[in-house]
Amino acid sequence: MNILKKKGALASVCAICFLMAACGKKEMDANGGGGVSQEKPEEESGEEIMDASVDASVTDSTEDVESAEEAGSEEAAVNPYTKPDFLESNEDIEDARKYIWQEYLNQVRSDEARKEEVDKRVMTFGEATMKYGAFILGEPDESGYPLFIALHGGGQSDTPDLNNSQWVQMTSYYQNSVENGIYVNPRGVRDTWDCHFNPESYPLYDRLIENMIAFYDVDPNRVYLTGFSAGGDGVYAIVAKMADRFAAANMSAGHPNGLPLWNLYNMPLQLQVGENDTAYERNVVTARYGRLLDEYQEELGGGYIHNTYIHQGQGHNFRDNSMSDQKVMADSAAWLESGDSAVVEVDANAIRFMEQYVREPLPERVVWDLSQRAEQRTGESFYWLQADSQLTEGKIVVSCDRETNSITVEECSIAGEVTFLLSNDMLDLFAPVTINTPDGSDTVTVAPDYDLLYETTMQRGDCNYQFAAKITVDFEQQ
């Protein structure tokens, strides 16, 4: 039996209660790129599957799984770290970060609403509710568990049956490729073509990831996103707005609906589609987006790691969950432009592609396209940048250099203030910091601030996004 290690406790493996879909293909109708028929995975899940329909309860065959309250109660009572009186050295900052992070964990684990969300596998934001299944596979390593979020197909439907059946199928579709990790399959919040990226979806993904970090020892630098068909649509939309949350993503058989992908500079993406998947021109559009990422990479001289796989002779369904190599076009751009049908065999397994990457939460270079902001997310930050939520136009390319203790704005078309959030992992906060912009340079002195460390920790729910200082530049005045 696999054992789930919660923070502060051990618990038996969780198995989501679903009735598996019947074998064979499911034929579905939906608009906007959401209509799918998915093949069954190569083998059934090894976990116990029980009939609970859309009830996201949890079961175990031998032991009672500890509730969120039981898992967090021991740690919630104490903080083993000491709050420093002042932030006068890097050691003080590190002590403050540990103390504040433990305070955050204690608050989350003692929050009755949070515990109920985790126990019932249901979260609500505004008028939208997200249910999800959860499986724990293998053992965590010293950094915790990787988290794999898998989005189902389906889309627009007059009844919930279509999306429910696809939600059930996603219980095991990618799970069979996960050896160690937590596998989560959210149910789209509404039965609409954009079921995975309704406005309320984005803060719910934040909440899901934060809960998994706090209660289930998830490594925030190994959070992955994959999806098929309507789930592929969701991958495009989510990573365009939340790339700083993920280490890598896989998009299969979806449609980007015209979204720009500038924000993926630091987040690898694998694109997959069947050669004959002509509905909504998914095949052609996928190849175009592979070429678009090529162009981004060329323009900025790096970043945008990606694969583009056009599966030979396949329609809407192909084996992106297969453990064996698949035949794809050798050059997706050549296939698009000239019909070149030369093929190669590749490992197209979505999980194996993603899990080779670890997120760099404080990358040296950030590209932020403010047109891709999720309006209902409560935070205003992207990696180590921050801007008022009312700013929804413009793009900034900025880098930091610890050796010169500087931040350089390479380009900026934002008309307003942008704040650089500073961590002692990025720069020396006890030395002058030079800000270089297209209009000149300035050197400033920052003062590490405990309250800012506390505020950014509570806002992001991620121990990598604890910032002790900040510098704000008004680009409207530049």
Side-chain angles (χ1 to χ4, degrees):
M1 170 172 289
N2 296 320
I3 299 298
L4 162 62
K5 184 182 291 181
K6 294 185 181 181
K7 289 202 171 187
L10 287 175
S12 302
V13 74
C14 297
I16 192 67
C17 300
F18 281 131
L19 179 64
M20 293 300 295
C23 62
K25 297 181 181 179
K26 292 279 185 179
E27 300 293 339
M28 300 146 210
D29 288 326
N31 66 4
V36 307
S37 67
Q38 287 187 356
E39 296 178 359
K40 282 186 69 66
E42 291 184 324
E43 55 185 83
E44 295 294 342
S45 164
E47 303 297 341
E48 181 181 7
I49 304 297
M50 298 179 66
D51 183 3
S53 185
V54 296
D55 176 20
S57 57
V58 176
T59 187
D60 179 74
S61 58
T62 59
E63 300 178 52
D64 289 335
V65 177
E66 289 178 298
S67 70
E69 182 175 5
E70 292 168 333
S73 60
E74 181 178 345
E75 290 185 47
V78 297
N79 188 333
Y81 303 105
T82 301
K83 177 182 176 182
D85 294 326
F86 305 99
L87 300 185
E88 296 180 339
S89 66
N90 282 324
E91 184 178 357
D92 290 340
I93 294 176
E94 286 302 309
D95 289 343
R97 288 176 63 175
K98 292 174 184 176
Y99 178 84
I100 292 170
W101 181 244
Q102 189 62 52
E103 286 293 293
Y104 167 79
L105 292 177
N106 289 349
Q107 288 185 30
V108 171
R109 292 170 181 167
S110 63
D111 185 322
E112 293 300 326
R114 292 267 194 166
K115 289 187 287 187
E116 185 174 8
E117 289 171 357
V118 173
D119 287 341
K120 293 186 176 180
R121 306 293 191 262
V122 177
M123 304 175 299
T124 298
F125 184 89
E127 297 179 354
T129 295
M130 179 182 287
K131 295 172 279 193
Y132 63 92
F135 292 81
I136 288 76
L137 302 148
E139 298 286 343
D141 59 26
E142 61 183 11
S143 299
Y145 280 105
L147 173 64
F148 299 91
I149 301 173
L151 307 181
H152 63 78
Q156 185 165 324
S157 177
D158 293 334
T159 72
D161 296 348
L162 167 63
N163 289 300
N164 284 343
S165 68
Q166 289 295 281
W167 182 33
V168 169
Q169 192 166 36
M170 194 51 68
T171 300
S172 60
Y173 185 78
Y174 291 111
Q175 186 209 136
N176 293 317
S177 299
V178 178
E179 294 183 3
N180 291 285
I182 297 181
Y183 179 87
V184 172
N185 59 315
R187 202 309 191 162
V189 299
R190 293 187 178 93
D191 297 310
T192 56
W193 74 272
D194 55 348
C195 59
H196 293 295
F197 52 105
N198 279 207
E200 299 94 339
S201 300
Y202 302 100
L204 286 168
Y205 292 125
D206 278 325
R207 185 84 161 190
L208 173 63
I209 294 168
E210 291 164 9
N211 284 349
M212 288 292 158
I213 292 170
F215 288 100
Y216 290 105
D217 197 24
V218 158
D219 178 359
N221 291 327
R222 291 184 295 161
V223 178
Y224 306 100
L225 180 69
T226 186
F228 200 103
S229 194
D233 293 11
V235 169
Y236 273 123
I238 295 161
V239 298
K241 296 172 175 60
M242 299 176 61
D244 58 333
R245 277 291 195 189
F246 302 101
N250 174 85
M251 189 296 305
S252 291
H255 198 289
N257 298 291
L259 290 173
L261 299 180
W262 287 110
N263 291 335
L264 275 62
Y265 183 87
N266 294 291
M267 198 218 72
L269 175 65
Q270 183 161 268
L271 305 175
Q272 305 200 60
V273 74
E275 179 185 14
N276 300 324
D277 190 358
T278 58
Y280 312 103
E281 296 188 316
R282 293 189 193 98
N283 53 355
V284 172
V285 172
T286 301
R288 286 175 181 162
Y289 262 67
R291 189 171 60 182
L292 178 67
L293 291 170
D294 291 339
E295 293 168 356
Y296 286 176
Q297 192 175 60
E298 182 177 353
E299 179 176 338
L300 290 176
Y304 302 105
I305 295 172
H306 64 284
N307 293 331
T308 308
Y309 291 154
I310 313 297
H311 287 251
Q312 182 191 41
Q314 301 301 309
H316 193 55
N317 296 291
F318 50 87
R319 304 311 295 270
D320 63 335
N321 61 352
S322 176
M323 304 306 287
S324 60
D325 287 353
Q326 302 294 299
K327 291 183 178 180
V328 303
M329 298 302 144
D331 186 332
S332 60
W335 173 84
L336 175 67
E337 294 164 4
S338 65
D340 186 340
S341 58
V343 299
V344 294
E345 291 192 358
V346 301
D347 181 356
N349 185 281
I351 299 298
R352 288 206 295 254
F353 166 76
M354 296 188 296
E355 65 186 0
Q356 66 184 306
Y357 296 103
V358 176
R359 180 190 67 167
E360 172 51 68
L362 304 172
E364 293 182 356
R365 195 185 199 195
V366 176
V367 180
W368 192 14
D369 173 11
L370 270 65
S371 74
Q372 293 307 298
R373 303 188 80 171
E375 62 182 26
Q376 294 202 32
R377 289 184 80 189
T378 55
E380 297 183 320
S381 303
F382 183 72
Y383 291 109
W384 45 272
L385 301 179
Q386 186 178 61
D388 187 278
S389 59
Q390 300 303 310
L391 284 175
T392 57
E393 295 181 359
K395 176 165 67 82
I396 186 171
V397 181
V398 60
S399 58
C400 66
D401 186 337
R402 189 175 184 91
E403 186 174 337
T404 60
N405 221 47
S406 65
I407 293 174
T408 299
V409 179
E410 301 172 41
E411 64 175 85
C412 182
S413 57
I414 299 169
E417 292 184 345
V418 176
T419 296
F420 308 128
L421 298 168
L422 307 181
S423 165
N424 55 312
D425 291 332
M426 296 165 53
L427 298 173
D428 182 353
L429 305 184
F430 298 97
V433 178
T434 300
I435 306 296
N436 303 307
T437 73
D439 291 330
S441 299
D442 194 13
T443 300
V444 299
T445 300
V446 299
D449 183 356
Y450 180 91
D451 289 341
L452 181 62
L453 265 178
Y454 185 91
E455 176 187 335
T456 53
T457 302
M458 297 297 163
Q459 286 177 347
R460 303 291 285 275
D462 187 326
C463 60
N464 299 278
Y465 291 138
Q466 296 179 285
F467 299 100
K470 63 182 180 180
I471 298 171
T472 299
V473 176
D474 189 348
F475 289 95
E476 197 165 28
Q477 304 300 321
Q478 292 285 313

